[in-house]
């Protein structure tokens, strides 16, 4: 069963040049500037594609959704039948909805049996959906927000609809589409408005894929894109040595490393692995320092987001103190080659908050990109880049 | 007074033939034959006996092969129809398949290899009866030694990647012979070198380190120096890279490798623009290879078989694959060519017999026809054509040539449609498909795409200005369509035999089917094709 949740106010700040739509003040200002709400329109485009694809078949899919503007209206407008399982508190979706409403709606949709949750919005909406998604359902973004750094959005509303239709068709045939664990990133809009872009990793969610339907295709096929992540993870696992504590950082690639190791991984935490077993999950900075004191240790990190941060975004537990304690060769860096390519020639970044530690890490880092394959890639600290503020280069 | 002819449109109107031709197995009629073999005369049969029974039981089939059964004319029509559904190298302006060096292969060279003097030869023939062929092999080796500056050459390998494999196999043997096999476990290459360099090194058991370009788009010398160590076995680089950029610090790259005791291997698949201009050995390289099927006349890939040539310095010569052709001069001055087994240090035989003789003859004929001056002229015209094409492509709004901005390129360019993609949502792959509607071939890039929305063009020396202009005009037309009528591009091809293919099946072992039998098995649960169920009639 597919489900839909719409963040009605998503994207409202974009046309007004407000770098996002978070916060009531921004929303009011955007409305005052004459912004149109486009989330409903884009969600309708997606669902119309689902309707068109299923028109030829026997049954039109019922779409599990939230009342009013949070989905029901769009489902009807697209000519499909809604099954309303959630109402935004006291408003029936008629007034302004909040982030908590989106999270609660996502949870209700999954509880009602949704296997794929379509959501219309941007990175903020993705964050809220991820918080309510649980572990059993997949999700797919209908691009309608201002910020879309997270690789969880289809290339267009129609592409999202085509994927959803394929999901329905596969379910009816007793199959399922492949999914890939993708990162939910968001930037603090207040900082973005003062030209400081620091996307952080908030969660991961399983996203279905089909040739050419999720983002611009860079690999030969989506399957080979996934295979590249698996290969990088295998390369990393192959390099691990017995008797060494490995501090596994967060992120999609690290989740794959954990899968290859056969250990459970907290999506956003730093987990300590010794000889193939987790000895400390979601460790704090001081817990990490305790582990490092117990024997040889290294941090295993991946590239977070489009900015290319190895350290300092989403893995702040790996602090300057931790890195100092790790000794002269503190990092095992892992990333599929595509992540380096996507940097478009920009260096990897480290920002531990300690200039001396950052300076020591700067230079070149050896990044494991596949089994028996590494890249030597430049690393700098953003402070060292002060003369070249990164205003332009943040590809979603 | 000339006849009034209607002028042709600026852009060629084209439509691919479509024959709706079945798979040849579906055409099979039990018992139909192309040739009925004459029965064996009783006298011969009595004298020879049952020749099949003389074969070991393990080599004899229990059941006849499941082959299609067709008359000669039906086979001829079948393959001619299929050939019309292709964009053949001799039909289209084939500059869109960059890095493959789709140059014209003069037909005289094909005629030479079709003569009985070659087709009737057998590789196990006594060298005394194969003096001409052996002399061609020996002479071509000497020519390629001169072209590369290297000491010795082997023509054993049967393709570019096989030659790269031979390069790393020789490097491995060299280090092992020097007692450094265990120590030197890493090979360094660049992201824009042909991926077979990384693949071959990995297959040979090495850890591979790739280097990204520096800020200006040149291979990053500082990164190389950070990667080099006493563990380095070799650097393996293509130059010019597939971007068409010639590494201006290539000598420093080689020197830096030598300083740590590593060897330097040069992938010269892109040699078409440097013949007679630079030589691998002059830059200090220890090993290099050519793709005869790119640089020296022979058609590439499906246009014909590949052939590699490995050239090495004197220090690496003992490791060349063999057996080798040797030239001996007798006391009376008589010259004789012979085959000599290699010594224990050689990496041995990397292919059956003596290499791909037809390609060796084509390359020999091509070089002999051009001479040293002709080779230089070919390289210069290839570079001139490429830079003319570069200037014309950059006039198309939305096209760019990332890296080394404003600089000229050698023999090819990896362009980008990123700007057009951002404006229109039309991807490079979609443009490539639309190009076929105009009868033009087009290629993006190896994966993963390093240049965003890439396309790679290589005009070689073969194409005229008129043909390059025609190709650019079609590119510009498709780019215009992407802006003005994007649905036309998005739904292309419109003038082709087949429409879009579905790629998902190619990722799924349950569904991919690259043979008729696999297709029947996976999609219809059939054990063997229908024609095999009927016992085939054995001739005579």
């Amino acid at each position: 069963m597919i489900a839909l949740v719409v963040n009605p106010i998503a994207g409202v700040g974009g046309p007004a040049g407000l770098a996002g739509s978070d916060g009531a003040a921004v929303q009011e200002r955007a409305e005052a500037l004459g912004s149109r709400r486009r989330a409903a329109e884009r969600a309708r485009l997606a669902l119309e594609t689902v309707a068109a694809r299923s028109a030829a078949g026997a049954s039109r899919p019922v779409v599990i959704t939230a009342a009013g503007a949070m989905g029901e209206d769009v489902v009807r407008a697209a000519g499909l039948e809604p099954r309303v399982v959630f109402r935004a508190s006291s408003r029936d979706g008629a007034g302004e909805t909040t982030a908590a409403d989106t999270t609660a709606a996502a949870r209700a949709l999954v509880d009602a049996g949704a296997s794929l949750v379509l959501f219309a919005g941007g990175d903020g909406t993705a964050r809220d959906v991820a918080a309510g998604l649980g572990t059993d359902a997949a999700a797919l973004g209908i691009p309608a927000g201002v910020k879309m750094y997270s690789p969880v959005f289809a290339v267009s509303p129609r592409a999202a609809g085509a994927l959803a239709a394929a999901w329905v068709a596969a379910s009816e045939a007793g199959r399922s589409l492949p999914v890939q664990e993708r990162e939910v990133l968001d930037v603090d809009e207040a900082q973005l408005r003062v030209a400081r872009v620091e996307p952080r990793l908030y969660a991961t969610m399983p996203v279905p894929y089909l040739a050419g339907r999720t983002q611009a295709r860079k690999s030969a096929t989506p399957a080979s894109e996934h295979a590249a992540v698996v290969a990088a993870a295998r390369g990393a696992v192959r390099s691990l040595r017995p008797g060494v504590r490995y501090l596994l950082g967060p992120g999609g690639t690290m989740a794959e490393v954990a899968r290859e190791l056969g250990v459970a991984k907290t999506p956003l935490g730093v987990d300590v692995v010794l000889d193939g077993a987790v000895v400390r999950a979601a460790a704090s900075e001081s817990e990490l320092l305790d582990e490092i004191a117990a024997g040889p240790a290294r941090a295993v990190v991946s590239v977070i987001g489009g900015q290319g941060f190895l350290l300092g975004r989403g893995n702040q537990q790996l602090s300057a103190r931790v890195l100092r304690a790790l000794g002269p060769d503190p990092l095992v860096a892992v990333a599929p080659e595509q992540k380096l390519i996507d940097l478009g020639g920009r260096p990897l970044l480290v920002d531990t908050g300690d200039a001396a530690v950052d300076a020591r890490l700067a230079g070149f880092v050896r990044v494991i990109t596949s089994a028996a394959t590494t890249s030597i890639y430049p690393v700098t600290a953003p402070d060292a880049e002060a003369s070249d503020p990164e205003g332009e280069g943040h590809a979603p | 007074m000339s006849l009034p002819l209607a002028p042709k449109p600026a852009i060629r109107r084209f439509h691919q033939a479509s024959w709706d031709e079945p798979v040849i197995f579906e055409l099979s009629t039990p018992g139909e034959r192309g040739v009925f073999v004459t029965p064996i005369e009783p006298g011969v049969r009595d004298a020879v006996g049952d020749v099949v029974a003389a074969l070991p039981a393990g080599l004899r089939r229990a059941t006849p092969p499941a082959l299609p059964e067709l008359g000669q004319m039906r086979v001829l029509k079948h393959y001619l129809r299929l050939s019309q559904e292709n964009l053949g190298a001799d039909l289209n302006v084939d500059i869109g398949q960059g890095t493959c060096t789709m140059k014209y292969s003069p037909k005289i060279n094909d005629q030479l290899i079709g003569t009985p003097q070659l087709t009737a030869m057998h590789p196990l023939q006594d060298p005394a009866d194969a003096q001409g062929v052996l002399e061609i092999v020996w002479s071509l080796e000497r020519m390629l030694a001169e072209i590369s500056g290297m000491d010795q050459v082997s023509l054993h390998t049967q393709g570019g990647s096989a030659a790269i494999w031979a390069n790393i196999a020789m490097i491995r043997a060299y280090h092992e012979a020097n007692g450094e096999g265990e120590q030197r476990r890493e090979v360094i290459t660049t992201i824009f070198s042909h991926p077979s360099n990384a693949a071959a090194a990995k297959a040979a058991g090495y850890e591979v380190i790739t280097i990204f370009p520096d800020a200006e788009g040149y291979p990053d010398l500082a990164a190389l120096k950070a990667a080099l160590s006493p563990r380095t076995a070799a650097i393996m680089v293509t130059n010019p890279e597939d971007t068409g950029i010639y590494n201006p610090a290539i000598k420093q790259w080689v020197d830096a490798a030598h300083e740590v005791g590593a060897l330097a291997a040069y992938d010269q698949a892109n040699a078409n623009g440097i013949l007679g201009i630079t030589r691998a050995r002059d830059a200090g390289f220890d090993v290099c290879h050519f793709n005869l099927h790119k640089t020296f006349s022979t058609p590439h890939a499906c246009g014909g078989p590949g052939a590699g040539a490995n050239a090495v310095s004197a220090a690496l010569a003992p490791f060349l694959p063999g057996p080798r052709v040797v030239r001996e001069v007798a006391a009376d001055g008589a010259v004789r060519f012979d085959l000599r087994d290699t010594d224990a240090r050689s990496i041995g035989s990397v292919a059956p017999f003596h290499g791909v003789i037809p390609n060796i003859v084509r390359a020999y004929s091509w070089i002999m026809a051009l001479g040293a001056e002709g080779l230089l002229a070919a390289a210069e015209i290839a570079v001139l054509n490429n830079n003319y094409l570069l200037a014309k492509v950059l006039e198309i709004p939305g096209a760019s040539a990332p890296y080394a901005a404003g600089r000229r390129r050698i023999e090819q360019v990896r362009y980008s449609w990123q700007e057009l993609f951002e404006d229109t949502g039309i991807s490079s792959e979609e443009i490539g498909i639309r190009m076929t509607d105009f009868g033009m071939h087009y290629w993006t890039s190896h994966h993963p795409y390093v240049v965003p929305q890439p396309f790679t063009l290589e005009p070689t020396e073969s194409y005229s200005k008129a043909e390059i202009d025609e190709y650019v005009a079609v590119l510009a037309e498709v780019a215009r369509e992407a802006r003005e009528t994007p649905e036309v591009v998005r739904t292309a091809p419109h003038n082709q035999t087949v429409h879009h293919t579905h790629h998902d099946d190619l990722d799924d072992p349950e569904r991919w089917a690259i043979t008729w039998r696999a297709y029947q098995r996976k999609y219809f649960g059939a054990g063997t094709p229908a024609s095999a169920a009927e016992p085939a009639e054995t001739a005579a």
Side-chain angles (χ1 to χ4, degrees):
Chain A
M1 291 279 265
I2 59 167
L4 172 75
V5 58
V6 177
N7 173 7
I9 55 105
V12 77
L18 296 175
S21 317
D22 295 355
V26 168
Q27 290 155 23
E28 272 173 32
R29 213 174 127 204
E31 301 271 335
L33 288 166
S35 282
R36 230 159 30 93
R37 301 181 171 204
R38 58 182 196 143
E41 195 181 312
R42 293 171 76 81
R44 184 176 53 77
L45 279 175
L47 286 198
E48 278 175 0
T49 307
V50 176
R53 297 277 167 115
S54 58
S59 62
R60 291 197 146 198
V62 173
V63 180
I64 308 173
T65 189
M70 283 189 76
E72 181 188 3
D73 300 349
V74 168
V75 176
R76 287 191 200 285
L80 291 171
E81 188 190 326
R83 197 177 117 207
V84 176
V85 298
F86 175 82
R87 285 175 193 281
S89 51
S90 79
R91 299 186 190 91
D92 282 0
E96 297 309 340
T97 58
T98 64
D101 288 330
T102 305
T103 301
R107 189 170 300 130
L109 301 179
V110 175
D111 288 346
S115 59
L116 175 66
V117 176
L118 296 168
F119 60 93
D123 282 333
T125 315
R127 253 172 87 181
D128 300 335
V129 168
L133 194 64
T135 52
D136 293 334
L140 176 67
I142 300 165
V146 179
K147 302 161 294 161
M148 285 178 283
Y149 290 93
S150 312
V152 298
F153 294 95
V155 284
S156 68
R158 282 184 212 282
L163 244 172
W167 182 276
V168 171
S171 303
E172 283 170 359
R175 293 188 294 114
S176 58
L177 292 188
V179 296
Q180 199 177 357
E181 204 67 30
R182 297 232 169 127
E183 295 162 356
V184 177
L185 306 161
D186 199 8
V187 296
D188 183 325
E189 289 180 9
Q191 289 194 334
L192 189 62
R193 288 188 197 102
V194 294
R196 209 175 144 76
V197 185
E198 295 181 357
R200 278 190 50 187
L201 173 66
Y202 284 93
T204 62
M205 56 167 60
V207 178
Y209 60 86
L210 202 62
R213 294 293 181 199
T214 32
Q215 304 192 326
R217 239 170 71 186
K218 288 162 184 162
S219 314
T221 63
S224 59
E225 193 179 317
H226 179 62
V229 176
V230 174
R234 285 190 185 155
V237 168
R238 198 171 158 271
S239 75
L240 305 186
R241 299 284 167 262
V244 178
R245 283 170 169 73
Y246 290 100
L247 286 44
L248 303 189
T253 306
M254 300 310 300
E256 198 58 48
V257 170
R259 202 164 294 139
E260 286 294 325
L261 276 171
V263 301
K265 172 94 188 67
T266 60
L268 301 182
V270 176
D271 304 332
V272 183
V273 172
L274 172 66
D275 297 332
V278 176
V279 293
R280 185 100 68 158
S284 66
E285 182 192 26
S286 63
E287 287 172 330
L288 290 175
L289 290 168
D290 290 347
E291 290 292 338
I292 295 165
R298 291 180 84 193
V300 189
V301 295
S302 190
V303 181
I304 305 275
Q307 294 295 93
F309 276 97
L310 276 180
L311 289 169
R313 297 294 179 273
N315 55 9
Q316 280 88 339
Q317 304 95 314
L318 298 170
S319 64
R321 285 177 67 196
V322 166
L323 287 158
R324 243 193 227 110
L326 285 170
D329 192 14
L331 295 182
V332 179
V334 194
E337 208 169 52
Q338 189 68 54
K339 284 241 179 185
L340 302 178
I341 291 167
D342 287 347
L343 294 174
R346 285 174 289 120
L348 288 166
L349 301 171
V350 287
D351 178 16
T352 64
D354 181 320
V357 171
D358 290 351
R360 211 185 71 199
L361 294 168
F364 287 97
V365 67
R366 196 161 166 156
V367 182
I368 297 170
T369 54
S370 180
T373 309
T374 57
S375 282
I376 296 285
Y377 203 87
V379 190
T380 60
D383 285 350
E385 299 261 288
S387 57
D388 179 26
E390 353 138 20
E392 68 330 327
H394 49 83
Chain B
M1 199 176 118
S2 60
L3 287 169
L5 288 172
K8 292 287 182 190
I11 303 285
R12 186 188 298 272
R13 289 164 299 185
F14 168 81
H15 201 295
Q16 190 83 51
S18 178
W19 286 97
D20 209 13
E21 184 70 3
V23 172
I24 195 163
F25 284 98
E26 295 177 288
L27 295 173
S28 181
T29 305
E32 197 172 315
R33 284 289 177 275
V35 177
F36 285 96
V37 180
T38 313
I40 301 168
E41 290 170 39
V44 174
R45 189 199 297 263
D46 293 345
V48 175
D50 186 352
V51 289
V52 176
L55 290 171
L59 290 179
R60 272 180 272 148
R61 278 183 170 275
T63 53
L67 296 175
E69 300 172 59
L70 278 84
Q72 214 173 70
M73 199 163 91
R74 294 187 73 201
V75 174
L76 178 68
K77 280 181 187 158
H78 174 72
Y79 286 108
L80 281 176
R81 286 168 182 166
L82 293 187
S83 76
Q84 290 191 351
E85 294 182 344
N86 272 306
L87 272 181
D90 285 343
L91 286 171
N92 84 107
V93 181
D94 216 1
I95 67 183
Q97 186 73 33
T99 88
C100 281
T101 316
M102 300 300 288
K103 60 166 67 179
Y104 179 61
S105 190
K107 295 305 167 207
I108 180 71
N109 298 344
D110 285 346
Q111 288 168 16
L112 288 173
I113 64 153
T115 57
Q117 288 94 322
L118 273 171
T119 56
M121 294 288 294
H122 192 279
L124 290 179
Q125 222 160 322
D126 190 304
D129 297 336
Q131 288 294 294
V133 171
L134 294 179
E135 180 175 0
I136 288 174
V137 172
W138 186 88
S139 303
L140 183 61
E141 285 183 0
R142 293 321 307 154
M143 292 174 187
L144 293 172
E146 182 62 31
I147 290 167
S148 62
M150 294 289 182
D151 291 292
Q152 289 206 39
V153 177
S154 164
L155 301 176
H156 257 248
T157 52
Q158 301 195 329
S161 295
I164 295 174
W165 165 260
N167 284 348
I168 188 63
M170 287 188 284
I171 288 164
R172 186 174 60 181
Y174 172 87
H175 288 310
E176 281 171 359
N178 290 337
E180 293 187 341
E182 293 294 312
Q183 170 202 330
R184 298 188 180 276
R185 299 306 315 145
E186 294 174 353
V187 167
I188 302 168
T189 184
T190 67
I191 192 90
F192 281 123
S193 290
H194 193 282
S196 285
N197 288 281
K202 237 193 242 193
Y206 287 97
E207 302 270 334
V208 173
I209 303 172
T210 55
I211 307 281
F212 279 74
D214 67 15
E216 304 218 336
Y218 294 106
D220 190 340
L221 183 60
L224 172 72
K225 287 181 174 169
L228 284 166
S229 78
R231 293 186 305 279
T232 312
I235 62 169
M236 297 180 78
V237 294
T238 308
N239 187 41
E241 297 190 306
D242 286 353
T243 50
I245 293 172
Y246 191 91
N247 183 351
I250 193 65
K251 185 79 169 69
Q252 288 97 305
W253 273 59
V254 173
D255 291 347
H258 285 162
E259 273 167 34
V260 299
L263 296 174
Y266 193 163
D267 173 348
Q268 298 209 110
N270 295 338
N272 205 44
I274 58 174
L275 294 175
I277 298 169
T278 70
R279 304 200 305 172
R281 188 65 187 149
D282 295 345
F285 280 96
D286 307 287
V287 190
C288 73
H289 84 272
F290 295 100
N291 292 2
L292 296 183
H293 54 284
K294 287 185 179 182
T295 311
F296 300 97
S297 173
T298 43
H300 184 278
C302 296
N310 295 86
V312 297
S313 65
L316 271 293
F319 304 97
L320 278 171
R324 307 287 312 284
V325 175
V326 291
R327 181 177 184 270
E328 290 162 343
V329 185
D332 64 356
V335 173
R336 185 176 176 277
F337 296 91
D338 203 354
L339 285 166
R340 175 137 328 144
D341 283 338
T342 49
D343 71 24
R345 288 174 296 172
S346 162
I347 63 167
S349 184
V350 291
F353 309 118
H354 326 308
V356 184
I357 294 295
N359 283 17
I360 290 170
V361 172
R362 285 192 186 98
Y364 175 80
S365 167
W366 192 74
I367 294 172
M368 289 298 281
L370 284 174
E373 289 172 13
L375 291 185
L376 177 62
E380 287 175 345
I381 294 167
V383 175
L384 181 64
N385 274 354
N386 185 48
N387 284 285
Y388 173 74
L389 177 66
L390 172 64
K392 299 295 281 185
V393 170
L394 292 181
E395 288 173 7
I396 303 173
S400 64
Y403 301 115
R407 308 292 293 273
R408 295 216 165 107
R409 304 295 170 96
I410 308 295
E411 88 302 358
Q412 64 180 309
V413 179
R414 183 151 296 159
Y415 299 91
S416 175
W417 284 123
Q418 180 65 15
E419 193 190 315
L420 186 76
F421 175 72
E422 284 167 11
D423 290 350
T424 66
I426 297 290
S427 70
S428 180
E429 284 178 39
E430 288 170 317
I431 287 175
I433 291 168
R434 178 62 178 150
M435 290 292 287
T436 68
D437 279 341
F438 299 92
M440 297 293 188
H441 194 94
Y442 176 101
W443 184 61
T444 53
S445 152
H446 303 108
H447 290 94
Y449 290 169
V450 180
V451 166
Q453 301 301 332
F455 61 112
T456 313
L457 309 182
E458 181 179 11
T460 78
E461 71 279 7
S462 301
Y463 288 96
S464 63
K465 180 174 172 297
E467 285 168 309
I468 294 172
D469 287 341
E470 183 182 0
Y471 193 89
V472 172
V474 175
L475 267 185
E477 171 67 7
V478 175
R480 185 193 63 76
E481 288 180 340
R483 292 180 194 281
E484 295 175 14
T485 53
E487 278 310 299
V488 171
V489 182
R490 200 169 281 126
T491 54
H494 306 286
N495 305 335
Q496 275 297 330
T497 309
V498 291
H499 202 67
H500 281 177
T501 49
H502 201 267
H503 283 216
D504 281 0
D505 289 356
L506 303 178
D507 288 333
D508 184 356
E510 298 295 318
R511 286 183 292 165
W512 72 44
I514 52 171
T515 65
W516 172 244
R517 273 163 218 169
Y519 176 67
Q520 296 231 314
R521 190 173 66 246
K522 291 180 179 179
Y523 286 79
F524 302 104
T528 45
S531 60
E534 307 282 333
E537 195 178 292
T538 46

